[in-house]
Amino acid sequence: MASPKKKLQGLVAATITPMTEHGEINFSVIGRYVDYLVEEQGVKNVFVNGTTGEGLSLSISERCRVAEEWVTKGRNKLDQIVIHVGALSLKESQELAQHAAEIGADGIAVIAPFFLKPWNKDALINFLKEVAAAAPALPFYYYHIPALTGVKIRAEELLDGIQDKIPSFQGLKFSDTDLLDFGQCVDQNRQRQFAFLFGVDEQLLSALVMGATGAVGSTYNYLGKKTKQMLEAFERKDFSSALSHQFCIQRFINFVVKLGFGVSQTKAIMTLVSGIPMGPPRLPLQKASREFTDNAEAKLKSLDFLSCTDLKGGDMEACS
Ligand SMILES: CC(=O)N[C@H](C=O)[C@@H](O)[C@H](O)[C@H](O)CO
Ligand SMILES: CC(=O)C(=O)O
């Protein structure tokens, strides 16, 4: 059985894949990106080539090169680097898993194949098992994101007996709002040392109550520090501060969701907050509009998520 050096816990940033204006991957800024996460956001775990990283929009060789760059630049700086290796083709997924093992990644994660879909638990488990077997020494995480894959097999059902089939199974990344399903994953696996990583950043506090051991999300790229304050308040059982922090984060996410929020917008926000050019997304996604970026910037400033000198105290709505 694969045994991670340390259980994956706390915040995990779902990394953005930086691109040039011409749509090529901008490998040159990944080193700076690692330093920014560690030094400015206090985030030391990353989830590479997932939804936010446009993993499914990259070629296999690009995915390998991105993974290599994170592993190289993250060495001695990051705690854990998990590579998403899900693909529609089992062969490609296995190739990516093997590659992740070769370069020394700390774990692999896989989504359900989403074009020709597994229609029941056994079909999905069989697919996942074959991918995991290509990198048997690497901790394996199932990435549950039914709204995007269309595969609605409940995580609770999938986890039942999963280690018998996939000995390297170490945890779940749960990107859904069904807290009954999530809570039952935790409740039914109490004896096992699984990582339960929640993936809906605006609802993380509810998932912590249900037993989440960590979180993977796009907003931890730029709200990592803020979210850590919430985790710390929760740890010390100061639930009223934890709730204030969650509401503060919600005010921002609610604002951008109403404007239309996705990977393109995440790239624009991260460029603003970190100063590192993340560039446009790759087609079929389209670049966030100037209007979006201006509105997001004003909101970030008023919530004090972005240092600013041009706002008067009266215009601020910063939370403690
Ligand atoms: C669909 C999607 O990309 N979900 C992300 C991770 O799973 C989240 O981090 C969201 O971006 C975040 O919760 C904001 O809605
Ligand atoms: C949010 C997340 O986990 C992803 O981008 O894959």
Side-chain angles (χ1 to χ4, degrees):
M1 192 194 302
S3 55
K5 42 184 181 175
K6 203 167 78 195
K7 187 165 150 182
L8 180 57
Q9 58 190 355
L11 293 186
V12 183
T15 60
I16 294 161
T17 300
M19 289 180 190
T20 66
E21 292 302 322
H22 303 292
E24 295 300 321
I25 298 174
N26 185 1
F27 293 98
S28 72
V29 299
I30 293 180
R32 240 173 102 194
Y33 190 172
V34 169
D35 292 340
Y36 176 82
L37 289 176
V38 174
E39 289 160 22
E40 305 296 328
Q41 297 295 339
V43 171
K44 298 188 78 176
N45 301 299
V46 293
F47 186 88
V48 177
N49 288 337
T51 308
T52 304
E54 300 171 89
L56 277 303
S57 306
L58 307 180
S59 71
I60 298 300
S61 80
E62 285 178 322
R63 290 174 71 169
C64 290
R65 288 177 61 206
V66 170
E68 279 162 32
E69 193 66 15
W70 277 98
V71 168
T72 307
K73 295 291 166 17
R75 195 165 287 135
N76 302 324
K77 291 182 176 173
L78 296 171
D79 285 340
Q80 295 212 28
I81 301 168
V82 175
I83 313 292
H84 172 251
V85 301
L88 293 182
S89 153
L90 174 61
K91 289 283 177 198
E92 287 183 351
S93 207
Q94 289 174 318
E95 188 183 324
L96 291 166
Q98 214 162 28
H99 176 264
E102 280 162 17
I103 62 173
D106 300 288
I108 51 171
V110 177
I111 52 168
F114 53 87
F115 187 66
L116 296 178
K117 299 180 179 55
W119 285 115
N120 56 41
K121 170 185 163 170
D122 287 346
L124 178 53
I125 287 277
N126 285 338
F127 180 90
L128 300 176
K129 180 181 153 193
E130 295 294 327
V131 180
L138 277 191
F140 180 91
Y141 302 90
Y142 172 56
Y143 179 178
H144 181 64
I145 184 156
L148 288 186
T149 60
V151 175
K152 315 245 182 240
I153 299 162
R154 295 180 80 237
E156 168 260 314
E157 198 191 329
L158 193 82
L159 259 53
D160 185 19
I162 195 166
Q163 262 186 330
D164 301 338
K165 297 277 172 52
I166 306 175
S168 56
F169 182 83
Q170 294 281 337
L172 171 71
K173 172 191 176 329
F174 189 94
S175 287
D176 188 35
T177 53
D178 183 348
L179 287 170
L180 170 61
D181 190 15
F182 184 70
Q184 283 306 292
C185 287
V186 177
D187 188 30
Q188 293 170 23
N189 293 283
R190 285 174 185 279
Q191 289 80 11
R192 300 173 188 92
Q193 294 296 306
F194 294 161
F196 295 103
L197 306 162
F198 197 64
V200 184
D201 312 359
E202 53 277 38
Q203 301 181 352
L204 176 56
L205 183 57
S206 332
L208 290 175
V209 175
M210 286 288 161
T213 58
V216 186
S218 68
T219 64
Y220 310 134
N221 282 294
Y222 52 91
L223 297 181
K225 213 167 160 183
K226 184 82 203 159
T227 309
K228 276 187 93 169
Q229 292 173 353
M230 182 178 87
L231 295 183
E232 283 156 14
F234 183 79
E235 275 295 305
R236 57 172 196 269
K237 302 195 166 41
D238 180 354
F239 301 123
S240 106
S241 302
L243 187 58
S244 304
H245 288 303
Q246 182 72 92
F247 282 160
C248 186
I249 291 163
Q250 280 194 349
R251 279 184 223 160
F252 178 70
I253 297 180
N254 195 47
F255 180 81
V256 289
V257 161
K258 283 197 227 165
L259 297 174
F261 180 68
V263 173
S264 316
Q265 289 71 25
T266 292
K267 287 186 127 165
I269 294 167
M270 184 60 173
T271 302
L272 264 174
V273 180
S274 69
I276 304 169
M278 294 296 159
R282 177 168 289 175
L283 286 167
L285 297 183
Q286 291 196 278
K287 196 175 171 172
S289 67
R290 182 63 207 250
E291 193 192 353
F292 172 87
T293 309
D294 290 347
N295 279 311
E297 182 173 13
K299 192 68 174 177
L300 284 163
K301 284 182 175 169
S302 80
L303 287 166
D304 206 18
F305 288 165
L306 191 65
S307 58
C308 62
T309 46
D310 55 345
L311 273 187
K312 290 183 234 51
D315 295 331
M316 299 285 287
E317 50 170 326
C319 345
S320 58

